[in-house]
Amino acid sequence: QVQPVESGGGLVQAGGSLRLSCSASEHPAAPYAMSWFRQAPGKSREFVSAVDSTGRYLYYSDSVKGRFTISTVNTKNSLIYLQMNALKPEDTAVYYCAGTLKTTRADIRKELNYDFWGQGTQVTVSS
């Protein structure tokens, strides 16, 4: 199965910024939506942000709303970005890009609905 490829993670001080990229151009089917999830050490994976295939509907978790911005550069959602500003130590996690071929807007935050996942990129925010 073709995996999306993430990039852009790294180490940054609190208050800093990073931009993550995810390329799913090799996937044969255009996803309904692409999303970012993250998993911190000792915690379960959680939803961060999503964008639908039109690029018009954006979704954020409460913990990142106002600080993170998701965007896509085309209607096939084959390349998406996550601009992360005002980073906090609690944002430290492995960030995963994922795609869903079919879901509803109500279920877009649920990881079980996602069909393909990247391998993740580490984001570390120091205090």
Side-chain angles (χ1 to χ4, degrees), residues 1-122:
Q1 185 177 5
V2 177
Q3 286 183 309
V5 178
E6 303 105 332
S7 61
L11 173 64
V12 65
Q13 288 188 329
S17 299
L18 283 174
R19 189 176 80 157
L20 305 183
S21 302
C22 172
S23 173
S25 59
E26 298 301 316
H27 200 278
Y32 170 82
M34 294 290 293
S35 296
W36 292 96
F37 289 78
R38 67 186 182 186
Q39 187 167 21
K43 296 187 178 181
S44 56
R45 191 155 53 186
E46 65 173 1
F47 171 80
V48 175
S49 184
V51 56
D52 80 326
S53 59
T54 69
R56 291 182 296 175
Y57 294 97
L58 311 178
Y59 306 82
Y60 298 97
S61 67
D62 288 342
S63 62
V64 307
K65 195 175 297 182
R67 300 187 297 121
F68 291 11
T69 303
I70 193 170
S71 61
T72 182
V73 297
N74 57 54
T75 56
K76 290 186 63 178
N77 255 341
S78 61
L79 181 60
I80 65 168
Y81 300 102
L82 185 68
Q83 178 66 43
M84 305 186 295
N85 297 329
L87 282 161
K88 304 175 181 179
E90 51 264 44
D91 294 318
T92 295
V94 177
Y95 284 70
Y96 297 92
C97 176
T100 176
L101 301 178
K102 183 178 181 181
T103 188
T104 65
R105 293 175 62 185
D107 292 333
I108 205 165
R109 292 173 172 82
K110 299 177 182 178
E111 66 172 286
L112 290 178
N113 293 322
Y114 283 79
D115 301 291
F116 53 94
W117 294 80
Q119 292 189 329
T121 185
Q122 178 70 46

